[in-house]
Amino acid sequence: MHHTFRPTHYHTTMGPHDAVLTVQSGDSVSTTTIDARGFDHRRVSVSPRGNPQTGPFYVEGAEPGDTLRVTLDELRPNRTYGFCQSSLAANVVDPDYVPELPPPVLAEWDVDVEAGTATLVRPESKLGNFVLPLAPMPGCFGVAPKNGQFLDCAGSAEHGGNMDYRGFIAGTTVDFPVFQPGGCFFIGDGHAVQGDGEICGAGIEISMDVRFTLTVIKGKTIGWPRGENNEWIFTCGNARPLDQALQHATTEMLRWLQQDYNLDALSANLLLTQGVRYEVGNVFDPQYTMICKVNKELLRQIS
């Protein structure tokens, strides 16, 4: 079944809030999200800032220990105005270079969905009307965290959250561990475009129209978010320092290869020694995000 949901309020924490909609496993939902500062498609403030989320969506039959599979069917910016910061975050350059960073001002972009482009409008610079191709993705999404917690949408953990990984584009499937009955799925913080690492602390922030499908995988227990697209399988680790995020992602990949691809520990380790690829999801937020990837061409050799 397909549902159309129009949100009237948003949450800046992820947790077991009252459900805005109850769906069955396999149902899809079309809805809208607002930008990280709480502005909607009309550029009207409708929520406090802080990556406000649409949801939660309660999925019948989802219980702790299960997996909630989220298929990102469609992600489409629904206004022409996007914004980001114009200067990099101090923590991504050498300390002695920080005084040379330009004063931070808001960078504004004209987003043309039909043309698939974002064009820099302000501030004036030697880039002129710099153009980037759109690659819409949710900066923050996931399920209610474990132990009944309500966690700020600035952060991330096993439940997902503010991972800011540019690979979460339409067509991607993402699995989350279920910690609360119904899973309690949230989505928000739309980015029209984002560079690796979100190194200025923002993508091109925008509101979006989204459609996703929610499916419960009964009895399958995972530890961290897992994703899949046409070319790769990947795992997400969220933590500080960055090496701990990498450890979480790598450990989850080893478990996945043994759980679903019939490899023993030795075989999974051997595959990753030379077959692994890593991406930086986020190095700005309270928890960093690392992505551990394996190309499906390698997996086809062992299927």
Side-chain angles (χ1 to χ4, degrees):
M1 179 179 291
H2 180 260
H3 307 264
T4 299
F5 174 73
R6 300 189 183 281
T8 58
H9 64 278
Y10 305 88
H11 293 289
T12 55
T13 60
M14 299 175 74
H17 295 282
D18 291 340
V20 296
L21 181 69
T22 297
V23 303
Q24 301 297 314
S25 177
D27 286 359
S28 61
V29 179
S30 292
T31 189
T32 60
T33 67
I34 57 177
D35 71 31
R37 294 187 175 184
F39 289 82
D40 67 8
H41 65 287
R42 305 161 298 174
R43 294 180 62 187
V44 173
S45 177
V46 294
S47 169
R49 63 191 298 163
N51 298 333
Q53 299 287 292
T54 300
F57 298 89
Y58 185 103
V59 187
E60 288 281 5
E63 295 291 336
D66 295 337
T67 290
L68 182 64
R69 176 160 292 170
V70 180
T71 304
L72 298 171
D73 299 310
E74 184 176 8
L75 303 166
R76 183 180 175 89
N78 58 17
R79 71 182 193 214
T80 59
Y81 175 81
F83 64 89
C84 68
Q85 296 300 319
S86 60
S87 179
L88 302 188
N91 68 295
V92 304
V93 298
D94 288 333
D96 61 0
Y97 188 84
V98 171
E100 299 182 49
L101 291 172
V105 296
L106 199 66
E108 299 178 274
W109 300 75
D110 180 70
V111 175
D112 187 331
V113 176
E114 299 305 322
T117 58
T119 303
L120 182 63
V121 177
R122 281 179 290 274
E124 291 185 6
S125 74
K126 290 187 176 181
L127 295 178
N129 295 125
F130 185 61
V131 178
L132 291 171
L134 297 184
M137 39 80 66
C140 183
F141 71 129
V143 297
K146 59 186 179 181
N147 300 325
Q149 300 176 93
F150 292 84
L151 295 184
D152 192 284
C153 292
S156 57
E158 297 94 332
H159 69 289
N162 197 29
M163 297 180 287
D164 290 311
Y165 172 48
R166 65 186 298 271
F168 289 133
I169 59 174
T172 305
T173 297
V174 189
D175 289 353
F176 294 98
V178 174
F179 298 113
Q180 296 293 322
C184 299
F185 175 70
F186 299 82
I187 188 167
D189 184 27
H191 296 171
V193 183
Q194 186 203 285
D196 285 340
E198 201 195 35
I199 60 174
C200 73
I204 296 182
E205 308 287 335
I206 203 160
S207 58
M208 293 201 304
D209 294 330
V210 301
R211 180 166 56 86
F212 51 83
T213 301
L214 302 174
T215 306
V216 180
I217 305 176
K218 291 298 298 180
K220 182 173 185 177
T221 301
I222 64 176
W224 290 86
R226 300 176 178 182
E228 183 172 352
N229 56 36
N230 290 336
E231 189 175 0
W232 302 90
I233 67 169
F234 61 89
T235 53
C236 311
N238 305 310
R240 276 205 197 192
L242 192 63
D243 57 354
Q244 187 177 21
L246 182 144
Q247 290 162 3
H248 291 323
T250 306
T251 302
E252 187 67 19
M253 181 59 76
L254 286 168
R255 289 175 174 152
W256 192 359
L257 292 172
Q258 294 173 79
Q259 183 180 32
D260 286 6
Y261 293 92
N262 199 33
L263 296 182
D264 58 15
L266 174 61
S267 303
N269 276 261
L270 279 170
L271 189 153
L272 289 192
T273 58
Q274 308 306 320
V276 73
R277 297 292 182 267
Y278 288 103
E279 287 186 272
V280 176
N282 179 297
V283 288
F284 177 81
D285 294 335
Q287 290 80 34
Y288 295 154
T289 296
M290 282 296 299
I291 305 298
C292 177
K293 303 169 56 179
V294 173
N295 195 289
K296 288 184 174 180
E297 283 296 325
L298 301 181
L299 301 176
R300 279 189 268 274
Q301 297 184 45
I302 60 174
S303 60

